Amino acid sequence: MAEQRASAPRTRSPLVKRTRRLATPGQPAVTYAIMGICILAWLVESLPGIGGHVTNALQYAGVYSYPGPVFQPWRMLTSLAVHYSILHIGLNMYTLWIFGKVLEPVVGRGRYLTLFLVSGFGGSVGVLLLASPLVAVGGASGALFGLFGALIVIHRRLGGNITQLLVLLAINLVISFIPGFNIAWQAHLGGLVIGSLVGWIFIETRGRALFGRQVGLVALLSVVLVAASFLHFVA
C-alpha cells in the first residue's frame, strides 16, 4: 500500500494525459461517497441491539440468503458495505481511497462506479460458486481487487510499468490464502477477474465512436454474472 501510494502521483499523470477523453475533473466524489456509505453501514452495525440484525440483513451468505435459501439478490451488492471490525473497514477504506484517487479521474465517475459495482458482484458470484453454501461474507475487498485488476490492465495497455502493481497483487493474493485469516479468497478472485475484464473493455473501447459497444459489453458481462448466480440458485 505504501509503495502504491508513493507512486500514485507519478502513475496518475501519464494515465490522465493519455486518456483525456475519459477523464473527469475534480475530486474522486464517487470514491468518497462509497467510503461514506461503508462507514455509515459499519457504524449502524456497531449499534447495540440492532447492529446484528442489520449485518444479517446485508451480508452475503448462502444462496442469496441468510440463514436459508430464500431469494434475496440484494445481498450480492449490499454485502460490499458490511465490515466486521474497525481493522477490516479501516484497511478496505484506505485501499479504496488509494485506488479511487488514481482510477476515478482516469475512467470517469460513471465508469468507475460501474467498475466497482460489477467487480463487487463478481466477487459475490465467486463466493457463490466456490465457497461453502452457507458461508457468511462481507466487505468491499472483492470490488477492491476488481479496481486493482482494472488498474493493471489499463496501465499496461497504455505502456506503463506494472511491475510494482503485480508484486503488490501477488502479495495480497498470497495473504488471501493464508489459513486462519478468515479471508474470502473466492471474492478476491472473482472481483479480480471481473474487474480486469471491465478494465479491458474500458480501454479497448475508449472514444465516443465505441461508447455503444462499451456499454453493450459491460451489460453483457453483467447479464452473464446474474445468470450464473440465478442458475446456481435454481439448481
Side-chain angles (χ1 to χ4, degrees), residues 190-207:
L192 177 64
V193 171
I194 298 304
S196 299
L197 287 174
V198 174
W200 177 81
I201 292 172
F202 284 171
I203 199 64
E204 294 298 332
T205 59
R206 63 189 186 277

Side-chain angles (χ1 to χ4, degrees), residues 168-183:
L168 187 59
L169 174 61
I171 292 173
N172 279 274
L173 284 177
V174 169
I175 292 175
S176 301
F177 288 93
I178 295 178
F181 274 35
N182 294 324
I183 296 176

Side-chain angles (χ1 to χ4, degrees), residues 3 9 14-15 30 44 53 56 64 69 83 85 105 148 156 180 185 189 222 226 229:
E3 288 295 328
L15 282 175
V30 175
V44 174
H53 298 291
N56 288 340
Y64 278 157
H83 293 84
S85 69
F148 207 154
R156 179 65 184 89
W185 61 266
L189 182 61
S222 302
V226 172
S229 60

Side-chain angles (χ1 to χ4, degrees), residues 72-155:
Q72 298 177 351
W74 63 81
R75 295 176 180 273
M76 303 290 278
L77 288 177
T78 58
S79 59
L80 300 178
V82 175
H83 293 84
Y84 299 115
S85 69
I86 190 170
L87 178 62
H88 188 198
I89 191 171
L91 287 175
N92 275 357
M93 294 304 98
Y94 178 67
T95 305
L96 176 60
W97 177 65
I98 290 174
F99 286 120
K101 67 180 183 178
V102 175
L103 259 179
E104 186 176 337
V106 171
V107 300
R109 289 171 181 167
R111 292 180 182 88
Y112 177 77
L113 179 59
T114 299
L115 170 63
F116 183 87
L117 293 177
V118 175
S119 298
F121 193 91
S124 294
V125 172
V127 174
L128 183 67
L129 299 180
L130 301 175
S132 170
L134 292 179
V135 64
V137 177
S141 54
L144 296 178
F145 267 80
L147 300 183
F148 207 154
L151 179 60
I152 290 176
V153 170
I154 293 173
H155 196 36

